[in-house]
Amino acid sequence: MGLDVNSIRKDFPILEKKIYGKQLVYLDNAATTQKPSCVVEKICEGYYSCNANIHRGVHFLSQHATEAHEAARENVRAFINAPSNKEIIFTRGTTEAINLVASSFGDSQCEEGDEIIVSQMEHHSNIVPWQLLRSRKGIVLKVIPFDENGELQLEKLDSLITNRTKLISVTHVSNTLATINPVKEIIKKAHEHNIPVLVDGAQSIPHLKVDVQDLDADFFVFSGHKVYGPTGIGVLYGKEKWLELIPPYQGGGEMIQKVTFEKTTFNELPFKFEAGTPDYIGSTALSTALDYVTALGMDNIAQHESELLEYAREQMAKIEGMRFIGNVSHRGGLVSFLVGDIHPYDMGSILDKLGIAVRTGHHCAEPVMQAFGIEGTVRASFALYNTKEEIDILVAGIERARKMFHH
Ligand code: PLP
C-alpha cells in the first residue's frame, strides 16, 4: 500500500506556510525534515506535564520522565534492530556521535601510524573528527575514492587496508551525490581483516529500513532531526564489545558509579557515555517520530521517495544545460545539479523568491566539490510529504531562472 500524501501533509502544519506570498515547496529535507504535529505535541507535553530531571529522583515526575526516556531508548533499539538497549547511546546528533567514537575509540585504540579509512564522499562531520585524531595521535587518514558517477571504487579498498587499519568510517547514503553505498559489503570485507566499521546513517535513517544486525555494523550513527524528530538529539549504536572496551567520552552526571577525589568508577552501559542531563524531552519526541514513520511503513516511504526522485530526474533532464552531479543507479531521495553556468547561489535565490526551499553550496562535503572541480551545487531533497506537483513547481522555477540568465 502506498502513502496517502494528501492526508500526511495535514500532519505538517508548516507545509501550509506562504513564502513571499507563494505556497512553500520544501525541498531541503536532507538538511532537516519538518516535524509532524505529534512530535511537536510530544515536546510540549514533555515540558507542560512530564518535566523533571531523570534517573536520580524518587519523586513521581522524575520516575515518569525516566521511564519515558528509557522507553525511547527501547524504541530506538527496535527501530534499528539493535540486540540490546545497552548499545543505544543518546547524543546531540550524528556529528557528536562520530566525535565520540573518534575520541574514545581513536584515543584508546590508535597509535601513531595506525590508519583510519573514510570515503571521498563523506560529510565534514565524518572527516574532521578523524583529522583532529590525526593531530592528537599521528594516525594516517586514507580515502576510498569515487568514480565520475559518484560510485565508490570498492576495488581500491583492498589496497587501502593494511595491518595498521583500525577503523573504516563511511556514509550509508551521500548527502550530495545521493549514492547508496554497499555498506554491508564494506563491513563484510573489513571484518575479514578484523576491522570495525562505523556507518554514518544521517541520510539513510529517514529513507531506508536499517537493521544494524543485518549490516553487522560496529557503530551506526544518526540525527533525530533528519528523521522527523527534534534537533539536539541523535543516536550512537555501538556493539557492546566495543562500547565496553573504550573509555567514556565526557565526564560528569550519570556516567559515574562512584566518585572520590582519588578515583572514579564509571557507570554501566549505556550510561557510561551519557554525561550530564540528557535531552530526555528530545529522546521521547524522537521516539514519537520513529513511531510515526514506522506506522507509515519504511518500505512505503522508500517507494514514494524513489518515485519522486525518478520523476524529478526525468523532468529536470529536459531542462537545457542541466547537469546532474551524481549519476549512480542505486540512489537516495535527492538530486544535486547545476544549470549552464548559473551559480548555485543565484539559482537558490531565484527559487527562494518562488517559495521553493532548496540548498545551495558545498553541502559540508567540500572534497566532493573538489573532485568535480565545482564550487557547489543546488540540491533538492525529498521527504515523505513531497509531491509530484511540487516537483513540477521546482522544474518550472528552474526553467524560469534559466531563461533569466540565458535569454
Ligand atoms: N553526515 C551526513 C551524511 C549528513 O548529511 C549530515 C548532515 O547534513 C551529518 C553527517 C551531520 O549531521 P548533524 O549536523 O545532524 O550532526
Side-chain angles (χ1 to χ4, degrees):
M1 206 189 66
L3 296 183
D4 179 356
V5 176
N6 286 335
S7 121
I8 287 172
R9 288 179 71 85
K10 297 200 180 82
D11 296 335
F12 294 83
I14 201 169
L15 298 178
E16 298 290 307
K17 204 172 161 66
K18 299 271 190 294
I19 306 286
Y20 308 116
K22 306 268 187 335
Q23 181 61 49
L24 167 67
V25 174
Y26 186 77
L27 299 174
D28 193 17
N29 296 288
T32 199
T33 51
Q34 299 301 346
K35 318 304 169 199
S37 304
C38 58
V39 168
V40 180
E41 280 156 16
K42 194 72 187 174
I43 296 168
C44 294
E45 183 196 312
Y47 285 116
Y48 279 137
S49 57
C50 312
N51 182 45
N53 206 336
I54 59 170
H55 289 313
R56 284 170 290 267
V58 292
H59 62 82
F60 178 88
L61 274 185
S62 173
Q63 293 199 0
H64 185 73
T66 305
E67 277 163 24
H69 182 66
E70 292 309 318
R73 195 188 308 278
E74 165 56 23
N75 212 14
V76 170
R77 183 207 65 70
F79 191 72
I80 59 172
N81 194 31
S84 159
N85 282 347
K86 291 182 182 171
E87 300 173 313
I88 304 297
I89 315 292
F90 284 116
T91 65
R92 283 195 300 121
T94 304
T95 304
E96 188 178 51
I98 298 174
N99 276 278
L100 188 162
V101 177
S103 288
S104 296
F105 179 93
D107 286 352
S108 67
Q109 305 302 309
C110 295
E111 302 294 336
E112 189 177 345
D114 282 343
E115 297 161 358
I116 304 280
I117 300 177
V118 296
S119 88
Q120 195 182 7
M121 66 174 80
E122 297 309 316
H123 187 280
H124 297 164
S125 294
N126 196 23
I127 300 173
V128 184
W130 307 112
Q131 291 175 326
L132 293 175
L133 176 65
R134 181 170 66 191
S135 319
R136 292 196 301 277
K137 301 285 289 195
I139 59 123
V140 178
L141 192 56
K142 291 178 147 184
V143 182
I144 316 168
F146 56 76
D147 66 15
E148 67 282 2
N149 290 324
E151 191 105 49
L152 278 187
Q153 295 176 274
L154 270 199
E155 65 284 2
K156 303 235 165 107
L157 182 57
D158 282 326
S159 59
L160 291 173
I161 291 176
T162 71
N163 58 7
R164 301 298 305 264
T165 310
K166 288 290 170 188
L167 182 88
I168 299 177
S169 190
V170 283
T171 194
H172 200 173
V173 176
S174 159
N175 71 323
T176 42
L177 300 169
T179 312
I180 301 178
N181 286 318
V183 286
K184 193 169 168 177
E185 205 183 309
I186 294 173
I187 291 167
K188 190 163 176 285
K189 187 173 284 235
H191 285 177
E192 284 163 13
H193 300 267
N194 293 319
I195 300 165
V197 178
L198 182 153
V199 177
D200 174 350
Q203 295 297 342
S204 60
I205 202 80
H207 305 294
L208 306 173
K209 195 160 177 34
V210 168
D211 180 331
V212 291
Q213 292 191 71
D214 179 55
L215 291 177
D216 204 14
D218 297 274
F219 301 100
F220 186 94
V221 299
F222 68 91
S223 301
H225 70 96
K226 292 192 198 277
V227 59
Y228 311 97
T231 54
I233 187 89
V235 172
L236 162 66
Y237 157 77
K239 279 186 183 166
E240 195 174 340
K241 67 168 181 183
W242 294 117
L243 296 179
E244 287 291 0
L245 180 76
I246 65 181
Y249 174 48
Q250 293 176 329
E254 196 53 41
M255 52 76 71
I256 57 95
Q257 199 168 49
K258 185 160 179 58
V259 177
T260 65
F261 281 110
E262 289 69 40
K263 184 174 160 54
T264 292
T265 49
F266 303 125
N267 204 341
E268 58 192 22
L269 290 173
F271 311 111
K272 170 179 157 186
F273 289 102
E274 291 182 359
T277 299
D279 184 1
Y280 50 88
I281 305 277
S283 63
T284 48
L286 169 60
S287 177
T288 302
L290 299 183
D291 285 343
Y292 182 83
V293 291
T294 303
L296 294 177
M298 288 309 292
D299 292 339
N300 293 331
I301 294 171
Q303 175 68 22
H304 174 69
E305 288 169 351
S306 81
E307 280 168 22
L308 287 178
L309 180 72
E310 289 320 308
Y311 182 71
R313 284 184 61 107
E314 211 177 275
Q315 298 305 311
M316 289 166 73
K318 296 178 188 160
I319 296 171
E320 205 183 305
M322 174 60 64
R323 176 181 172 201
F324 294 118
I325 309 296
N327 283 302
V328 293
S329 52
H330 200 40
R331 56 185 164 236
L334 64 90
V335 49
S336 262
F337 65 95
L338 291 168
V339 179
D341 57 1
I342 306 173
H343 195 280
Y345 181 82
D346 292 333
M347 176 63 80
S349 303
I350 292 168
L351 293 176
D352 174 51
K353 293 292 179 296
L354 300 170
I356 306 164
V358 292
R359 189 144 293 244
T360 60
H362 55 59
H363 316 297
C364 293
E366 286 199 58
V368 174
M369 303 304 136
Q370 288 150 13
F372 284 98
I374 54 179
E375 256 177 71
T377 72
V378 187
R379 181 183 73 187
S381 51
F382 310 116
L384 54 86
Y385 38 66
N386 288 124
T387 63
K388 289 190 176 162
E389 291 72 39
E390 289 181 307
I391 289 167
D392 291 339
I393 297 171
L394 170 71
V395 170
I398 299 170
E399 187 59 33
R400 187 160 160 182
R402 189 190 67 78
K403 286 193 178 132
M404 281 170 70
F405 281 91
H406 304 148
H407 24 255

